Amino acid sequence: MWESESESVAGGDYGNGILSSSKHGVKNDGFELRDNSWYVATDIPSDFLVQVGDVNFHLHMYPLLSRSGKMNRLIYESRELGLNKVALDDLPGGPEAFELAAKFCYGIAVDLIAANISGLRCAAEYLEMTEDLEEGNLIFKTEAFLSYVVLSSWRDSIMVMKSCEKLSPWAENLQIVRRCSESIAWKACANPKGIRWAYTGKPSEVSSPNWTEMKDSSPSIKSQVPPDWWFEDVSILRIDHFVRVITAIKVKGMRFELIGAAIMHYAGKWLPGLIKDGGGSTDEASNSSSGSGGSSWKGELHMIVEENKDDTPIVEAKDQRMIVESLISIIPPQKDSVSCRFLLRLLRMANMLKVAPALVTELEKRVGMQLEQATLADLLIPSYNKNETLYDVDLVQRLLEHFLVQEQTESSSPRRQSFPEKHMYNGVQRGANPSAKIRVARLVDSYLTEVSRDRNLSLTKFQVLAEALPDSARTCDDGLYRAVDSYLKAHPTMSEHERKRLCRVMDSQKLSIDARMHAAQNERLPLRVVVQVIFYEQVKISNALANNSLKETGETQYQPVISNRKTLLEGTPQSFQEGWAAAKKDINSLKFELDTFKAKYLELQNDMDILQRQFDKLTNKKQTSAWTTGWKKLSKFTKMTTLENHDIDPQVATAPGEDTRKTTRRWRNSIS
């Protein structure tokens, strides 16, 4: 029985939640149930049978004729056909609602409560129990109860809206859902300090909500009402009604962080796959509500989700798809309204359930806006296509493209510097944070290291994903080197050309000392890459030695400054000095290895020269033969004969002057 102030409604008593009529068509003592059939407790035998579903109602024509326009027509039509029964299989509310309507027709008191008012209101509309037949008919009285009692109560509005799930489309056409959603939205947007009604928001009340409390029962004045007090009550609604409530709350101007947190809470309850690691999807929900009560709200919301695991409703795949699509469509457009982890898990489920491509694309753009907040575990989304890689690498590539587009848009936006503070996330602007690309680069490197173990991952996909970010996003390429090395381990049959192409994604100059040490001894890397690593290390060592020599030469000129630097070094922590000593030791070991490598190279060069000379000698010996020796002797003999003839001919044909000169020459030769 509903406890409220008594009222008088025209034609009947409307008090204490009891609905009755002052006119009695048939004197009776109530209804009796016998073997799934209802009978009127009266001496007058029934003359009309009404079938509603599998329940029979043995009634009288006159009470029904006087209150229901539809029954008036049906009885008239059945009498023409010689029938005394009628079937109402499409009556909203079913046998329970018709039982209450029939009792009202007989003048029997009816208890109106939040659980039966919506069904009775729809049944009254179906039976056409209007004021034209009698003042204070059932439509008028149920409508008054809805307006004056239900809509003024938080829990009654929730219960009535929940009961409307089985009354479509009657509840929609009669505006019951709209009015309840408006009432819920107004109360949810109220200042938590002014809440004086009961709600199911605390962990202790989740497992056994007490809906039978008095309406004026309220939280203690000393206890602070958290901003998420309405989450649990609203989360019991069906998805279409939940969407109506959230839409109405948006119109009322509630903060987008709270709306996003409510969506995450609802998803955690109706999509159990979203929180399979222990409520992780709602861990970050409290970050979006940094207002009053925010510190206690995080733990409280987490406990709510944890305790409701056993009571999680079973949802079929088709219904899950509808829930995912609806949640995507109502997520606030602001950047940090929901966490990136929640978006990625929703995206994973959307791909699994084959959600509409347009909604998936919209969700991918939302993830790209917050990609720097993602973790590797959430980014490892399986590929649901056959004969593909283990993880959806193409999806991550699209997320990275959306992130870069968003970064470029924010960097080129002229309003970036004057962006209102209320649109910030924890007081920090997204575009003003230069470390976003660095965090995304580390995330991509870790993702590449994980997916590189997949043998079905092509070199092109690996290379495109590794080169998607600009060079300025990575200050160190150790993460890329680990990914490259892991890919080489998983693909040992790669050709030399493919290995060189793979190693182009990293910069040898950005590797740390440990990475260079590992790369110098890595047999999987191409020889060209190893030589580059050693060369760059030698250049660094040479530069370091040159700087040291410059410091030593300038020590006499800048003695006071050097002494001050020594004083500063003495004051440095011991851990820093030990680290510098270890670095010096590594540099010396690398220099020694490089010198050894050069010495071995020179030895091999000398051996090569010796072998080349020996080979040339053998080649020359093989080319000499008897013919060549004979020709050489013949050529020598011909030269000697020519010289002798040349010496004889001048003696025969010499002039007198030439004799004198020749004699003089002989004399000069003799003198010598």
Side-chain angles (χ1 to χ4, degrees), residues 8-12 19-21 23 65-70 104 121 124-125 127-145:
S8 177
V9 182
L19 192 63
S20 61
S21 176
K23 297 181 181 181
L65 291 172
S66 61
R67 301 295 179 91
S68 173
K70 186 177 183 64
F104 177 80
R121 172 67 182 89
E125 190 71 22
L127 295 173
E128 302 175 10
M129 304 176 72
T130 62
E131 295 296 296
D132 296 337
L133 297 175
E134 182 181 351
E135 291 185 3
N137 211 343
L138 188 57
I139 291 179
F140 175 80
K141 294 190 175 182
T142 52
E143 192 66 31
F145 187 84

Side-chain angles (χ1 to χ4, degrees), residues 150-155 157-158 161 176-192 195 197 227 229-231 233-234 237 241-255 258-259 262:
V150 171
L151 298 182
S152 62
S153 171
W154 166 260
R155 64 176 183 268
S157 300
I158 294 288
M161 199 165 186
I176 299 177
V177 175
R178 182 191 62 80
R179 288 182 288 173
C180 288
S181 61
E182 291 287 338
S183 174
I184 294 170
W186 277 113
K187 293 176 177 60
C189 294
N191 189 346
I195 292 176
W197 53 79
W229 64 269
W230 52 277
F231 286 6
D233 290 340
V234 174
L237 301 175
H241 294 166
F242 178 77
V243 171
R244 295 286 295 270
V245 171
I246 294 298
T247 304
I249 288 176
K250 285 182 180 180
V251 175
K252 300 298 183 294
M254 178 174 283
R255 290 182 300 159
L258 276 177
I259 296 176

Side-chain angles (χ1 to χ4, degrees), residues 576-602:
F576 179 81
Q577 297 180 5
E578 292 176 357
W580 176 246
K584 279 187 175 181
K585 187 181 296 183
D586 294 337
I587 292 173
N588 293 332
S589 62
L590 287 173
K591 184 178 179 182
F592 176 75
E593 290 181 0
L594 187 60
D595 294 339
T596 305
F597 180 76
K598 287 183 177 180
K600 289 183 179 180
Y601 177 77
L602 293 175

Side-chain angles (χ1 to χ4, degrees), residues 371-372 374-376 379-380 393 396-397 399-401 403-404 436-452 461-469 473-474 479-480 482-484:
L371 190 58
E372 73 275 8
T375 60
L376 177 60
L379 206 61
L380 293 173
V393 181
V396 178
Q397 175 67 27
L399 298 180
L400 202 55
E401 292 175 356
F403 169 77
L404 293 175
K437 288 184 179 179
I438 298 176
R439 291 199 297 270
V440 172
R442 292 175 182 171
L443 179 64
V444 171
D445 294 345
S446 302
Y447 181 80
L448 286 172
T449 304
E450 187 68 26
V451 301
S452 61
K461 287 186 177 182
F462 184 93
Q463 189 176 8
V464 169
L465 189 58
E467 296 176 348
L469 289 170
R474 294 183 177 92
L480 267 182
R482 283 191 294 268
V484 168

Side-chain angles (χ1 to χ4, degrees), residues 488-507:
L488 290 173
K489 286 180 182 179
H491 303 78
T493 60
M494 292 178 63
S495 63
E496 184 70 16
H497 173 71
E498 291 176 339
R499 288 191 294 160
K500 289 181 180 179
R501 178 183 164 192
L502 175 65
C503 293
R504 289 194 193 105
V505 302
M506 64 178 182
D507 188 358

Side-chain angles (χ1 to χ4, degrees), residues 620-634:
N620 293 333
K621 287 183 179 180
K622 288 182 180 180
Q623 289 179 356
T624 59
S625 61
W627 286 99
T628 56
T629 305
W631 281 108
K632 286 182 179 180
K633 290 181 179 180
L634 183 59

Side-chain angles (χ1 to χ4, degrees), residues 471-489:
D471 295 337
S472 59
R474 294 183 177 92
T475 58
C476 180
D477 278 6
D478 285 6
L480 267 182
Y481 172 70
R482 283 191 294 268
V484 168
D485 186 44
S486 178
Y487 190 89
L488 290 173
K489 286 180 182 179

